[in-house]
Amino acid sequence: MADNIQTKSEAALVKKVGDIANVLAAAGVGFTDYLTQLTYILFLKMDDEKENLGLGSSIPEGYKWRDIVELNGTDLVEKYEEILKELAKDDGLIGTIFTKASNKIDRPVLLAKVIEMVSSENWYMMEGDLKGAIYEAILEKNGQDKKSGAGQYFTPRALIKAMVEVTDPKITETVADPACGTGGFLLAAFEHMKTQSKEISKQNFLKNHTLFGADNTPLVVTLASMNLYLHDIGTTKSPIVCQDSLLDTSDTMFNVILANPPFGVRPQGSVEVHANRPEFIKTSDNQVNFLQHIMSIVKPEGRVAVVLPDNVLTDGNATAKVRERLLKGFNLHTILRLPTGIFYAGGVKTNVLFFEKGKETKDIWVYDYRTGIKHTMATKPMTRAHLDDFVECYCSGHMKDRKQTYSEENPNGRWRKFTAEEVYSREQLKLDFKWIDLEEKDDRTVTELLSDMEDKATAIAGAISKLQEILGGIEL
């Protein structure tokens, strides 16, 4: 019964938040801009509730919830913008939440609507699971906003859960995501670890020292910090930092890395990675540089699960050299081949690479969840249940018991072992393992086909725009 009430409350609050989003959208305020302002305002309200309970305030006098809640018109906008500017200077949790904060709702009546909606609920005493679930639902809705490109920051929770489950982080270990987006991997790792021990010291370590996330987009740092904060993680100092991980030369290392880094080439004008990290094999390919970074920050015997596109497994030149380093210095024991249609930012064929540091790769086990698999975000999204067979085949904690489902009698079995001899005999160590022979049927609806075409058109337009930027700086 209690679960049912919580579900209703969650649905009602998500609808309330969505209704305001629709009002703002009609006035030209995009969902991402709205979500950012909602985050700032929600934090101010929760701090006020906390102070009213006698638990103190983290926010300096003159910049609190009560300083805006009674205002309207230009007075409201001016005071709100003053608060954002001041709180962005803080060097603790508040500064992280308000990283480079600016107001995107400049019409007083619209800003007042958001404040009124937030003021109608008590958030601080709300169960962490409930307010966290509400925020996660809003983040997912934001990921669906194709125009803003927010989908690139949102990894499907079904995939995250499966990756965390098989990687199995322990409560005494440290976990990092160097391209953390809205914090989905860190949150899932926390949920996985928090039931492993009731010892107060271990729970304190988990909440305050276990997790680390980085992203180079201030907006995303705000969303990730708030996501964790609403789940009662990092309530004094956020585990999220705003930094370009590829330029990180610190010597901090972690037991477990979980990540879905950005793909493509580095933005024009960015500092060249190799100039800052001469130990890296030189490449402008973002995902290959992230792979090198991850290889450098995982502790000996540490575990990695990372989403990477096909080109990391097949390209020559610099990518092939990085692949060789990976196979020689790490045990790349498992590859999960993923289908298209599972990410809001669609189109790219991806894989999850699972590897451990310190031993050379021998056999590689491959699970093909791509060939003959169709998912769409709208009508057939991937659920955690779709990955049950992979998780079972993986045999986390007892890999010696792995058994192939592929055989001569069952040539389309999805779980197959490739021996070290088969791996190292491949030209340029290409790891594009394909064996299933199924007739590919396109059962997409017209709406889904149009949506996929729109995704591809957007990707092509983005590539042309980047190419024009590059050519614009070259004298022909």
Side-chain angles (χ1 to χ4, degrees):
M1 183 68 179
D3 283 349
N4 196 31
I5 291 169
Q6 172 157 327
T7 305
K8 281 183 181 175
S9 302
E10 181 186 330
L13 279 167
V14 170
K15 182 182 184 305
K16 190 184 279 192
V17 170
D19 288 346
I20 299 290
N22 293 335
V23 172
L24 268 64
V29 179
F31 197 96
T32 302
D33 287 339
Y34 161 54
L35 175 53
T36 315
Q37 306 312 308
L38 175 64
T39 301
Y40 302 147
I41 291 165
L42 189 54
F43 188 86
L44 293 173
K45 175 68 160 60
M46 287 176 65
D47 182 82
D48 182 68
E49 292 172 17
K50 183 176 158 216
E51 188 173 18
N52 290 337
L53 289 166
L55 300 172
S57 166
S58 313
I59 294 175
E61 289 298 329
Y63 304 99
K64 297 175 185 277
W65 170 259
R66 62 174 175 261
D67 296 307
I68 58 168
V69 73
E70 300 295 338
L71 297 178
N72 52 52
T74 55
D75 290 346
L76 170 61
V77 172
E78 286 172 6
K79 185 61 183 177
Y80 177 62
E81 290 177 351
E82 183 190 343
I83 288 173
L84 297 187
K85 187 177 179 182
E86 181 63 27
L87 298 187
K89 297 175 187 173
D90 188 271
D91 57 2
L93 169 69
I94 294 169
T96 309
I97 298 269
F98 290 83
T99 301
K100 296 187 178 176
S102 63
N103 179 26
K104 301 291 185 182
I105 308 176
D106 54 7
R107 283 176 59 188
V109 66
L110 298 179
L111 186 59
K113 275 190 180 298
V114 181
I115 291 170
E116 182 186 351
M117 186 267 291
V118 171
S119 68
S120 66
E121 302 289 339
N122 287 312
W123 302 87
Y124 186 76
M125 293 300 289
M126 197 184 285
E127 279 289 321
D129 286 349
L130 174 56
K131 63 194 175 199
I134 292 163
Y135 199 71
E136 275 276 290
I138 298 165
L139 289 174
E140 180 159 13
K141 184 174 170 61
N142 188 49
Q144 297 166 16
D145 183 3
K146 289 182 181 178
K147 288 180 184 173
S148 73
Q152 66 185 300
Y153 306 119
F154 195 90
T155 305
R157 288 345 188 202
L159 178 61
I160 286 177
K161 283 179 183 175
M163 288 168 65
V164 169
E165 194 171 325
V166 297
T167 310
D168 192 21
K170 303 298 185 189
I171 196 164
T172 53
E173 294 183 309
T174 52
V175 179
D177 180 352
C180 69
T182 53
F185 279 111
L186 298 178
L187 191 53
F190 173 82
E191 295 293 336
H192 180 83
M193 293 186 280
K194 74 177 184 182
T195 57
Q196 294 174 6
S197 172
K198 291 184 178 176
E199 282 183 44
I200 292 173
S201 61
K202 287 182 179 176
Q203 287 291 333
N204 283 340
F205 183 81
L206 175 60
K207 283 197 172 186
N208 300 305
H209 304 290
T210 291
L211 306 176
F212 172 81
D215 205 288
N216 65 350
T217 307
L219 154 70
V220 179
V221 169
T222 291
L223 300 182
S225 303
M226 192 65 171
N227 198 14
L228 296 185
Y229 176 77
L230 290 175
H231 286 86
D232 300 325
I233 307 163
T235 52
T236 52
K237 183 175 174 57
S238 178
I240 310 295
V241 300
C242 189
Q243 71 176 31
D244 185 339
S245 289
L246 296 181
L247 304 181
D248 172 28
T249 53
S250 69
D251 55 3
T252 309
M253 300 178 83
F254 305 90
N255 299 106
V256 177
I257 312 289
L258 299 157
N260 177 11
F263 306 158
V265 295
R266 218 161 144 70
Q268 189 80 355
S270 299
V271 175
E272 189 183 307
V273 174
H274 186 261
N276 221 51
R277 309 284 292 271
E279 73 278 14
F280 281 14
I281 290 166
K282 187 175 181 179
T283 174
S284 61
D285 192 326
N286 244 344
Q287 55 263 33
V288 178
N289 278 322
F290 263 103
L291 175 57
Q292 294 188 86
H293 175 62
I294 287 167
M295 287 158 64
S296 75
I297 62 170
V298 63
K299 289 182 177 181
E301 299 182 14
R303 307 182 299 291
V304 173
V306 56
V307 180
L308 292 167
D310 278 9
N311 83 293
V312 173
L313 300 179
T314 58
D315 280 3
N317 302 320
T319 306
K321 290 175 184 173
V322 173
R323 208 159 47 240
E324 184 178 6
R325 277 190 186 178
L326 175 65
L327 294 179
K328 287 188 174 175
F330 300 79
N331 177 19
L332 174 60
H333 52 76
T334 309
I335 296 174
L336 168 62
R337 302 183 79 226
L338 294 170
T340 56
I342 63 170
F343 296 101
Y344 290 114
V348 181
K349 289 182 177 175
T350 58
N351 316 266
V352 186
L353 275 58
F354 298 88
F355 56 88
E356 296 169 353
K357 189 170 192 170
K359 289 182 181 173
E360 186 177 356
T361 299
K362 300 293 185 190
D363 303 335
I364 297 179
W365 289 75
V366 182
Y367 191 97
D368 186 341
Y369 188 67
R370 180 185 299 176
T371 308
I373 303 290
K374 298 287 183 192
H375 284 295
T376 64
M377 298 305 303
T379 59
K380 194 187 174 186
M382 183 175 72
T383 66
R384 172 61 187 78
H386 285 120
L387 295 171
D388 278 351
D389 187 54
F390 164 70
V391 170
E392 191 175 332
C393 287
Y394 189 104
C395 296
S396 180
H398 56 108
M399 290 189 196
K400 63 182 185 305
D401 297 329
R402 289 179 165 186
K403 290 184 174 63
Q404 297 187 88
T405 59
Y406 163 86
S407 65
E408 286 185 15
E409 296 75 35
N410 184 31
N412 288 334
R414 294 195 179 276
W415 183 232
R416 181 175 179 179
K417 178 174 81 171
F418 291 84
T419 65
E421 184 180 355
E422 290 172 304
V423 170
Y424 289 101
S425 64
R426 288 171 161 256
E427 181 194 355
Q428 290 193 308
L429 299 175
K430 290 184 178 180
L431 305 177
D432 53 335
F433 300 103
K434 300 171 191 169
W435 67 92
I436 296 178
D437 183 18
L438 294 175
E439 185 183 339
E440 296 279 341
K441 290 181 182 176
D442 195 335
D443 53 3
R444 290 173 293 177
T445 64
V446 173
T447 304
E448 289 163 358
L449 277 165
L450 287 171
S451 178
D452 287 350
M453 287 168 69
E454 185 187 342
D455 284 345
K456 284 174 183 170
T458 303
I460 291 167
I464 290 170
S465 176
K466 281 183 181 172
L467 190 57
Q468 286 172 334
E469 268 184 47
I470 294 165
L471 292 174
I474 300 172
E475 287 189 24
L476 299 174

